[in-house]
Amino acid sequence: ATGEVILSATDLESTGFGQPWGHTRTYVHSLSRPISMGNGWNWQVREWPYAVANGSTVTIMGEMQNVLWFDLVGANYVPRFNVRDAFQLDTARQQYVWTQLDGTVTRFAANSGAFVSRTEVGGTTLSVVGTALNGVNVGEVRRSVTSGGVTTVESFLYTYGNAGGAIPTLTTVLLRRSTNNGTSWQNVAQATYTYYDGTTSFGLAGDLQTVTTANWTGSAWASTGTTLYRYYVPTEFLSSSSSSSSSSGLSPPPPPPSPLPIPPHLLQYVVLPASYVQLAAVANPLTTNNATVAVYADYSYTYNANNRVIGETVKQGSQSYGFTTTTSSNANGYNSWTTKTTETLPDGNRNIVYANYAGQTMLKVFQQVSASYCTPCSASCWRYCSTRRPSTARRSSASKLPPIM
């Protein structure tokens, strides 16, 4: 209900050694400012949680739509929005300690906010055993499990380009296992990444370009597919090849260029592996024009001047969705709507969603365009208490669209 793109992809995952762990990316374009943690602008990685301290508030990031805030009140950190998790500073180790309701304990370095370890209720611990040269980005995560007298060490090994830079770019994540405490390793799966360098109109420098996944067959890597991403590049960020002509006499120096605005890194096209094969059969996916890519794109997005999504096309252009967003003048409140988003479905029917200032859904209505009443449409309504938790919920299949607060 906020007019943003939220797109997730799991590049690799291991589920047989305790909690599932792998490499899961989520793209969200409407962050307060563009962020790169090493896997492309505006891509967050669920398995790379990190803590951001800002004054007396610490925010846990890494998984979009699951951001947590803890405020220091006296000597204790208090969670916002009635979250039940606990958070504290381990002064002896200089680590932040986040304890979830199920008993999972995650630790972060207090000086950098970098992920240190995660311990499950059963005792299995995922530990960062190496970092990139910047000392922050994860270099390797390991955990060990003993079964039938055999101890298996599982490793997620990350390699980076620009390893010495402030923001290294992830090039490979490798899942491997060892039964002799790391003396030798058996490959399992890997994902490789490429990025735009800012010289094309398909993405700015550091935007994620391709993801290729593969499984180890015992002697070689077998590709399981490539995904292609393209982005809108504002014209002011395109390099100019024009040159000025010379003239006789002296002329004053040109004025300094105006500072460029912050680029939004807006996702435009997503081509998934099956469609990538089809595209590659007719053109080079990395260099062909956008018009050709649009024919094979599994997702494509258009935005308005405020960078809100106004259109989405899926399944190689076979289905189109439209979005309009209205903002109210209501004062912020959990039970006062702030945004109304209308989604027009491919068949012309509509989903209408009202959300409060915190982004929580208050009212969701499915409306047939041929009917002025919600019969046989459906509506769901939520009301929140002062702690942001839902206090009531109501579902209706035969009611007139209600007036909103």
Side-chain angles (χ1 to χ4, degrees):
T2 56
E4 63 184 352
V5 174
I6 300 177
L7 184 71
S8 295
T10 298
D11 300 331
L12 55 82
E13 184 178 46
S14 175
T15 59
F17 293 81
Q19 286 186 353
W21 198 259
H23 196 81
T24 304
R25 298 170 291 108
T26 301
Y27 172 87
V28 176
H29 84 274
S30 59
L31 300 171
S32 58
R33 61 181 176 84
I35 295 175
S36 176
M37 298 305 298
N39 209 178
W41 289 102
N42 293 346
W43 287 96
Q44 299 278 296
V45 178
R46 185 176 65 193
E47 293 81 6
W48 288 354
Y50 59 98
V52 179
N54 184 12
S56 61
T57 300
V58 179
T59 307
I60 298 177
M61 300 281 292
E63 185 175 4
M64 300 312 302
Q65 294 189 307
N66 194 25
V67 178
L68 301 176
W69 291 267
F70 297 89
D71 299 307
L72 185 62
V73 179
N76 300 310
Y77 281 94
V78 178
R80 293 184 187 178
F81 306 127
N82 205 37
V83 170
R84 306 296 180 86
D85 296 357
F87 191 83
Q88 62 184 358
L89 174 63
D90 181 343
T91 55
R93 298 186 183 183
Q94 281 299 295
Q95 294 177 349
Y96 291 122
V97 183
W98 167 34
T99 304
Q100 297 172 250
L101 272 179
D102 65 0
T104 300
V105 177
T106 305
R107 288 178 172 268
F108 307 90
N111 63 340
S112 65
F115 174 56
V116 173
S117 66
R118 174 167 292 177
T119 303
E120 304 171 21
V121 178
T124 301
T125 298
L126 282 147
S127 298
V128 176
V129 298
T131 63
L133 293 179
N134 66 356
V136 176
N137 285 74
V138 176
E140 184 179 7
V141 175
R142 290 186 184 182
R143 62 181 169 184
S144 61
V145 175
T146 300
S147 178
V150 177
T151 298
T152 301
V153 179
E154 187 171 65
S155 164
F156 296 84
L157 184 65
Y158 303 88
T159 56
Y160 296 88
N162 187 32
I167 305 178
T169 51
L170 179 69
T171 55
T172 304
V173 54
L174 169 65
L175 170 59
R176 58 182 186 168
R177 299 188 180 116
S178 173
T179 55
N180 54 16
N181 200 32
T183 301
S184 60
W185 296 93
Q186 177 65 49
N187 295 329
V188 179
Q190 75 171 5
T192 58
Y193 305 87
T194 65
Y195 303 84
Y196 291 101
D197 60 8
T199 63
T200 73
S201 60
F202 307 141
L204 295 169
D207 281 334
L208 179 62
Q209 181 182 31
T210 63
V211 180
T212 301
T213 55
N215 292 328
W216 184 252
T217 65
S219 59
W221 289 107
S223 174
T224 54
T226 297
T227 299
L228 171 69
Y229 301 98
R230 287 193 176 182
Y231 307 79
Y232 286 99
V233 177
T235 55
E236 59 266 34
F237 288 90
L238 293 175
S239 59
S240 175
S241 59
S242 62
S243 59
S244 58
S245 58
S246 60
S247 61
S248 59
L250 297 176
S251 60
S258 300
L260 293 175
I262 297 175
H265 301 279
L266 299 179
L267 190 60
Q268 184 176 14
Y269 298 113
V270 180
V271 182
L272 298 177
S275 299
Y276 187 92
V277 172
Q278 294 177 308
L279 174 59
V282 299
N284 183 337
L286 305 183
T287 59
T288 191
N289 57 59
N290 278 336
T292 301
V293 170
V295 174
Y296 296 91
D298 293 277
Y299 301 96
S300 63
Y301 304 98
T302 55
Y303 307 82
N304 64 13
N306 295 320
N307 294 337
R308 290 185 181 273
V309 177
I310 57 174
E312 177 187 26
T313 302
V314 302
K315 298 181 179 180
Q316 297 187 352
S318 63
Q319 297 179 2
S320 295
Y321 299 77
F323 303 89
T324 58
T325 302
T326 303
T327 302
S328 80
S329 58
N330 294 333
N332 287 345
Y334 296 135
N335 295 302
S336 296
W337 73 274
T338 298
T339 58
K340 169 192 173 185
T341 301
T342 301
E343 176 191 24
T344 302
L345 304 175
D347 61 4
N349 293 323
R350 302 186 182 103
N351 284 318
I352 304 172
V353 180
Y354 292 83
N356 61 22
Y357 82 103
Q360 294 175 296
T361 298
M362 298 179 61
L363 177 67
K364 182 176 182 179
V365 177
F366 171 74
Q367 184 184 42
Q368 289 183 332
V369 295
S370 59
S372 58
Y373 289 82
C374 278
T375 304
C377 305
S378 61
S380 298
C381 183
W382 291 264
R383 187 172 181 83
Y384 299 89
C385 60
S386 60
T387 57
R388 196 192 176 195
R389 293 177 64 83
S391 60
T392 58
R394 184 176 62 187
R395 187 180 299 272
S396 174
S397 59
S399 64
K400 186 175 181 180
L401 288 177
I404 305 299
M405 292 64 73

